[in-house]
Every structure is written in C-alpha cells, then in structure tokens.
Amino acid sequence: MRLACGAFVPQCGLVHEGNPNTAHTSSDLSRLIKDALAQPPGSWEDFWDCVIAQQLGVVGGQLSELNQELVQKSERVIIVFDGIEDAFEDVTNSVAVEAIQALLRLTNRLSELENRHIGAIIFVRADYVQATVRQNLGQLQQRYQPFRLQWSPESFLRLAF
C-alpha cells in the first residue's frame, strides 16, 4: 500500500513530502497493516489517524492535532491512498473489512474538522467497496460516481498517449 502525503505551501507553490525521519515507506506500511490484521487495534480509525499523522511528522497525533499544526503553518495537505488491494488481499476477512471500512469513512471524518486543511483521495477498486460496505452502498456509489475511474480501450490509449 502506498500513502502519499504532500503539503502545499501557497506562498511559494512548493509541494514537499512529510518528514523523512517519521514517514513510512510502502514496505513499512505493508508491515504495519499486516501486524494490525494479526492483532487488530481497538479502533481502526485511530490506527489510520496515527499512520497519517506519522507520515507528516506528527508522532502519536490524531487528525485534529495534525490539522491544527497545518493551520498554524498555513499549509494544506492532500493524502492519497493507493494499493488497498495489495495490502488487503483477502477482502472476505472480517478484520480486513473493518480496516477498509474505517479507511473509507476517513473522508467523512475529515469533513468534521473545523477549518480543515486536510483532504484525502482514496483509490479503491469497486469490488472492494462492494465487499466491505454493507449499509448504504448505493448512496456511497452515487456520492462518488463523478470521481469513478473507468477504463475503456480509448481512455487507456489516451492515458498512454
């Protein structure tokens, strides 16, 4: 799984990565997730919050603390999750389902932050959404329909071109 965090500094248009001393590599993230699947945390929301905060150099922090730090620095961050199917190979595992559900709820939790300086993009395959979201699946799909990536031969060729 890959978790990319970049902060945008409006004054100079600079994009920079999180603190390299605390940021997780893809291998680190895979290991963290594998360990958490073996011994599930009390709250998957807290697990994701902690991972996100660590990527940006806020050790032991939660989203609200990270957001406050970003507000003070006048920075905004977009967090991108990709490779969910690599990190969670067995989508029928109930623990994996809980982890993915918590991750998919991240956008709702971010919208609750006051003076929000954090955004998120989560790339997830439709079959993973269908396997993990049991309640209000239609609403979720409708809400994100405008952002759905659909590959046709033409769109693939356009991308390659």
Side-chain angles (χ1 to χ4, degrees):
M1 177 176 215
R2 291 164 298 286
L3 173 61
C5 298
F8 181 70
V9 183
Q11 303 90 327
C12 60
L14 172 71
V15 174
H16 67 87
E17 295 298 318
N19 183 342
N21 297 323
T22 59
H24 298 293
T25 64
S26 291
S27 299
D28 292 339
L29 285 171
S30 294
R31 196 173 316 108
L32 278 173
I33 292 168
K34 184 177 180 181
D35 291 348
L37 288 171
Q39 293 184 336
S43 166
W44 279 102
E45 281 85 358
D46 290 344
F47 172 83
W48 292 120
D49 289 1
C50 185
V51 168
I52 291 166
Q54 286 176 352
Q55 283 299 102
L56 293 168
V58 179
V59 179
Q62 296 295 311
L63 290 179
S64 58
E65 294 163 342
L66 174 60
N67 190 63
Q68 283 301 339
E69 188 169 316
L70 292 169
V71 168
Q72 290 172 355
K73 292 180 179 180
S74 296
E75 292 184 349
R76 295 186 182 274
V77 173
I78 302 292
I79 304 159
V80 179
F81 288 86
D82 188 24
I84 293 171
E85 65 278 0
D86 297 330
F88 301 99
E89 295 173 4
D90 183 9
V91 76
T92 61
N93 177 329
S94 64
V95 177
V97 167
E98 290 175 26
I100 296 169
Q101 287 173 342
L103 183 58
L104 294 177
R105 287 191 298 267
L106 176 64
T107 56
N108 291 337
R109 292 186 311 111
L110 289 174
S111 69
E112 296 171 356
L113 293 173
E114 187 176 325
N115 194 15
R116 181 170 41 121
H117 280 228
I118 306 171
I121 299 173
I122 303 170
F123 291 101
V124 60
R125 289 186 350 207
D127 60 324
Y128 272 63
V129 173
Q130 293 166 351
T132 58
V133 177
R134 295 186 180 101
Q135 188 173 3
N136 300 327
L137 175 62
Q139 279 183 331
L140 181 78
Q141 289 174 326
Q142 185 68 27
R143 179 178 177 188
Y144 293 106
Q145 180 62 31
F147 309 106
R148 186 176 183 161
L149 295 176
Q150 295 189 26
W151 293 105
S152 67
E154 180 183 343
S155 64
F156 181 76
L157 288 173
R158 285 178 186 251
L159 176 66
F161 180 70

